[in-house]
Amino acid sequence: MIKIRSLALAGAMMLAATSFADAKEEIIFGISAATGSLQQQTAAEFVKRANEKLGDKAEVKLFDSSQIGKDKELMQKLKIGTVHLALPSSIMSSVADKFALFDMPFLVADRKHLAQIEEKVFWSEIAPTAEEKGYKVLAVWENGVRHITNNVRPVKTPDDLKGLKIRTPKSTWRVKMFEAWGANPTPMAFSEVFTGLQTGVIDGQENPYTNIASAKLNEVQKYLSKTGHVYTPSYPTMGKAMYDKMDPAIVSVLESVARELEIWARDKGEAADTELKDKLVAGGMSYNEANRAAFVAASKPIYDAFAAEVEGGQALIDAAIALAPGS
């Protein structure tokens, strides 16, 4: 009887071991972006394509809208391995300061210019600084071109920002930018912005149309001012430790799919710009175009600070500007 029981137990253990070995590896992809935003749409497309190629090897599962953490928490979870993929954007300049190149106002002329900066500057000069901090960037996706909304007045020049409490991401350089323009920048997680605007804790915020629309900020904001002050990438990212120990065949799929979605995201973002602006105006927002020259003139101190405070900062600026159309 004991022998029979021992054999049965051994058989059960072997079956469990076989079932575990055959189970798909689960890859958790956590993002803070809201459902419907370009970042969320790109992440969902990534999950669809990656899972088709991964087959029985693994399955990527997406959790958006800060379901499993805001950006700062997700970055910590990447380090310890409880989240396998995240999609940081502006927060990356707080991880590695060279990422703040994309916080320089009016630096990126258009999406073709961004592609040139990625190819000639990003992978050689910026991405390695994330690895030094324990992160592996897989690709450069789009968050979008940022504009300002508020409840006090149209923003035509930096003078119109004076005294306004403007929510920014938790990016040191975005804070410096709005301070230079005379605003009172208030760093805050995006998931808290709607309530902050609704209750008057903040007067306004700055984001791409896709984020403004997906979060329904038109319901709590009166003025939409087209400034186009920053083009913000987003970065599908893994913890370096997880990247190094994951099955190379799985990592290869994740990387290749992430890179193939770069153009998809930019094309989708460009196509949506006019449509979403019109949707926001139809939703009750008052629209104006800001004086770009006035904002550019007020932005020089930010470039000077980046050149002085970030190692190789001036060389990065020069390299990016040299790649602009017509340079």
Side-chain angles (χ1 to χ4, degrees):
M1 180 65 74
I2 293 174
K3 185 175 182 181
I4 292 172
R5 285 179 178 173
S6 298
L7 288 170
L9 180 59
M13 291 175 68
M14 287 176 66
L15 180 61
T18 301
S19 298
F20 182 78
D22 290 342
K24 284 186 179 182
E25 183 170 345
E26 191 173 79
I27 298 169
I28 303 300
F29 189 3
I31 69 174
S32 63
T35 303
S37 65
L38 177 58
Q39 291 180 91
Q40 187 272 337
Q41 291 179 57
T42 310
E45 183 68 17
F46 169 83
V47 169
K48 174 188 169 185
R49 295 189 189 191
N51 284 341
E52 287 173 353
K53 293 186 177 183
L54 287 168
D56 293 332
K57 289 181 181 176
E59 181 180 10
V60 185
K61 293 186 176 180
L62 177 64
F63 298 86
D64 62 28
S65 305
S66 299
Q67 289 180 68
I68 56 175
K70 299 170 187 175
D71 281 328
K72 186 176 180 180
E73 296 167 297
L74 289 170
M75 297 305 285
Q76 293 169 342
K77 289 178 178 180
L78 287 181
K79 277 280 188 75
I80 61 178
T82 53
V83 168
H84 305 96
L85 270 165
L87 190 58
S89 182
S90 299
I91 196 174
M92 286 302 286
S93 64
S94 299
V95 173
D97 56 12
K98 285 188 177 181
F99 278 81
L101 178 68
F102 297 109
D103 273 322
M104 295 300 100
F106 309 103
L107 176 79
V108 179
D110 53 30
R111 290 172 174 90
K112 288 182 180 178
H113 184 204
L114 183 279
Q116 287 294 302
I117 295 172
E118 179 194 351
E119 180 185 349
K120 305 289 178 55
V121 178
F122 179 80
W123 291 111
S124 60
E125 301 296 330
I126 299 176
T129 65
E131 289 197 42
E132 293 169 7
K133 302 293 184 178
Y135 299 101
K136 179 71 176 179
V137 174
L138 303 187
V140 180
W141 291 353
E142 174 165 320
N143 187 338
V145 182
R146 305 180 84 91
H147 309 288
I148 298 170
T149 71
N150 82 100
N151 278 326
V152 179
R153 54 183 168 263
V155 174
K156 298 176 182 177
T157 71
D159 284 344
D160 294 319
L161 285 168
K162 287 183 178 177
L164 297 189
K165 292 175 288 185
I166 301 294
R167 176 268 175 183
T168 68
K170 295 180 180 180
S171 160
T172 300
W173 291 94
R174 199 72 54 77
V175 169
K176 288 183 178 182
M177 179 190 304
F178 277 86
E179 284 177 342
W181 291 345
N184 180 11
T186 306
M188 181 184 294
F190 185 68
S191 58
E192 300 169 4
V193 171
F194 187 96
T195 302
L197 293 168
Q198 190 176 44
T199 58
V201 171
I202 49 177
D203 298 311
Q205 60 84 54
E206 48 90 52
N207 254 295
Y209 291 140
T210 176
N211 293 346
I212 297 168
S214 63
K216 299 181 179 179
L217 298 187
N218 58 289
E219 295 180 4
V220 288
Q221 290 279 263
K222 184 174 180 180
Y223 299 105
L224 170 61
S225 300
K226 181 183 178 181
T227 50
H229 52 279
V230 165
Y231 174 96
T232 315
S234 61
Y235 313 94
T237 300
M238 297 179 69
K240 185 65 166 58
M242 177 60 66
Y243 176 89
D244 288 340
K245 76 177 183 180
M246 188 177 283
D247 181 344
I250 294 174
V251 169
S252 178
V253 170
L254 298 180
E255 282 191 300
S256 65
V257 174
R259 292 297 290 271
E260 76 183 31
L261 276 172
E262 291 183 335
I263 294 174
W264 184 94
R266 288 169 202 158
D267 287 348
K268 198 168 184 67
E270 186 168 16
D273 277 353
T274 300
E275 176 189 341
L276 289 174
K277 186 265 286 183
D278 292 344
K279 177 182 175 182
L280 292 166
V281 172
M285 300 189 82
S286 175
Y287 173 81
N288 74 280
E289 294 192 8
N291 184 324
R292 181 185 175 93
F295 274 95
V296 170
S299 300
K300 186 178 183 301
I302 305 159
Y303 280 79
D304 292 343
F306 184 84
E309 296 175 29
V310 175
E311 184 178 353
Q314 188 62 57
L316 281 177
I317 291 169
D318 293 343
I321 291 175
L323 295 168
S327 296

